[in-house]
Amino acid sequence: MLTYQQALIETASRLKESGSTTPELDALLLLCHVTGKDRIGVYATPKEPLTSEEYSKFDNLVGRREKAEPMAYILGEKGFWEFDLKVRKGVLIPRPDTESLVEAILDIHKDRNAELNILELGVGTGAIILSLLHEMPNAKGLGVDVSPDALACAEENAEANNLDDRLTLRASSWFDNVSEDGFDVIVSTPPYIRTDDIPNLMRDVAHHEPSLALDGGNDGLDAYRHIIDEAPAKLKAGGLLAFEIGYDQADDLKKLLKDSGNFTPAVIVKDLAEHDRVVLAHRL
Ligand SMILES: C[S@@+](CC[C@H](N)C(=O)[O-])C[C@H]1O[C@@H](n2cnc3c(N)ncnc32)[C@H](O)[C@@H]1O
């Protein structure tokens, strides 16, 4: 039988060959997952053999990773803000960069007890709106998405983190099924990759993550145009529109917001890697 140590060495080499950029870490996380041990537990018992049941499960997961399936789909979860969010195929894996959007909104709404009404367009796993509701205990949220997988996933995450009493989830293409208005905040990380750029994304992303969550049309701006057009009718005067953007989209977003004539000049916030990542504007 294969020991933990042998499994780690053999698997890291298999995964390196298949193109993983983090083969040792992937091997370790997969081994932890099937054995139910944490990293220290695995390293502390290198001679422990995998049972045949563990081995066959492990081999299957390694095979999935060899085909560039993202680790978050294989493990079924991804850390974001203070949560371990459930993730599944068909739903975008939340990115660490997106935490900059949450931080930027919290920087503006410093009163954590404010009774804000927040709308998230394209809720995915619920990463953004659940983080905001967690930080602001009197806030209420509405999260919409067109993907049934995303809505089911967000619901599971809301329940698992006891936030389901303050979050309503609904199927809607952007504002189509949103009859409410007077929101304090409208937030979105819409699909923003140019259609032609999608095949050039990393294999993990291009082959496994849903194009519905990625494809922003010919210039990557389709969703932003639509949302900027309709958001003024749904925001309170002075209400905040907050977007995540691609690193090279700040000028386009500034222009779209200016041309709409309904918003204050856009403020751009950078992520931890110093890339433009967030656009903020208030309704006039
Ligand atoms: C880039 S993902 C963001 C997901 C999540 N907010 C996050 O940050 O991890 C974009 C989301 O928008 C959703 N979406 C795409 N087109 C939509 C539409 N017309 N109306 C509502 N949601 C849409 C996708 O299903 C996806 O969940």
Side-chain angles (χ1 to χ4, degrees):
M1 265 289 140
L2 209 62
T3 65
Y4 288 179
Q5 190 173 37
Q6 289 165 332
L8 287 176
I9 294 169
E10 283 181 19
T11 303
S13 136
R14 261 173 84 180
L15 294 180
K16 192 169 178 191
E17 203 145 299
S18 73
S20 166
T21 52
T22 51
E24 287 87 9
L25 180 63
D26 295 355
L28 177 61
L29 293 177
L30 294 175
L31 191 58
C32 290
H33 186 72
V34 297
T35 58
K37 295 195 173 169
D38 60 17
R39 299 176 196 204
I40 295 172
V42 165
Y43 280 137
T45 54
K47 303 273 183 258
E48 179 92 8
L50 280 105
T51 64
S52 55
E53 197 183 324
E54 284 171 343
Y55 178 75
S56 98
K57 199 170 162 198
F58 182 66
D59 191 48
N60 175 272
L61 300 187
V62 174
R64 287 169 61 185
R65 185 64 190 136
E66 280 183 308
K67 293 186 190 119
E69 185 170 340
M71 286 296 288
Y73 287 152
I74 298 175
L75 301 176
E77 63 178 28
K78 176 77 182 176
F80 185 91
W81 206 252
E82 292 186 16
F83 310 115
D84 284 326
L85 293 176
K86 296 200 191 324
V87 197
R88 61 174 79 160
K89 250 186 142 28
V91 185
L92 189 96
I93 300 163
R95 307 297 204 265
D97 294 339
T98 303
E99 293 185 344
S100 304
L101 176 58
V102 175
E103 272 166 13
I105 295 170
L106 293 174
D107 263 2
I108 287 182
H109 285 288
K110 291 196 192 309
D111 176 6
R112 295 288 181 271
N113 292 316
E115 295 181 6
L116 297 185
N117 265 317
I118 305 171
L119 169 63
E120 182 177 359
L121 300 165
V123 72
T125 54
I128 298 169
I129 200 148
L130 291 174
S131 303
L132 292 171
L133 294 181
H134 173 73
E135 297 299 328
M136 296 193 273
N138 297 320
K140 289 206 172 82
L142 169 61
V144 305
D145 209 294
V146 274
S147 156
D149 284 333
L151 290 166
C153 187
E155 189 173 358
E156 259 184 66
N157 284 321
E159 280 168 11
N161 294 289
N162 298 318
L163 291 165
D164 49 318
D165 56 334
R166 289 189 287 128
L167 177 62
T168 304
L169 292 162
R170 189 180 300 158
S172 175
S173 178
W174 307 134
F175 294 99
D176 287 2
N177 290 332
V178 179
S179 54
E180 300 88 336
D181 55 20
F183 289 101
D184 300 282
V185 178
I186 296 179
V187 58
S188 187
T189 295
Y192 59 66
I193 312 289
R194 293 175 194 87
T195 308
D196 286 350
D197 288 344
I198 290 184
N200 307 325
L201 295 173
M202 280 170 58
R203 199 159 59 115
D204 300 32
V205 180
H207 292 186
H208 293 278
E209 296 206 68
S211 62
L212 182 64
L214 301 171
D215 192 342
N218 285 340
D219 63 359
L221 301 171
D222 284 1
Y224 296 114
R225 278 193 200 92
H226 192 97
I227 295 171
I228 288 171
D229 239 25
E230 298 197 12
K234 298 293 181 180
L235 274 171
K236 273 184 184 159
L240 174 69
L241 179 61
F243 285 125
E244 178 177 318
I245 54 166
Y247 71 96
D248 57 354
Q249 292 176 319
D251 288 343
D252 292 326
L253 263 290
K254 279 186 195 164
K255 183 169 180 339
L256 287 177
L257 287 159
K258 186 167 179 236
D259 291 352
S260 101
N262 289 309
F263 292 94
T264 55
V267 171
I268 309 296
V269 180
K270 290 184 185 298
D271 62 21
L272 290 176
E274 289 294 309
H275 294 132
D276 290 340
R277 187 58 64 200
V278 175
V279 176
L280 305 167
H282 293 271
R283 206 207 93 182
L284 292 171

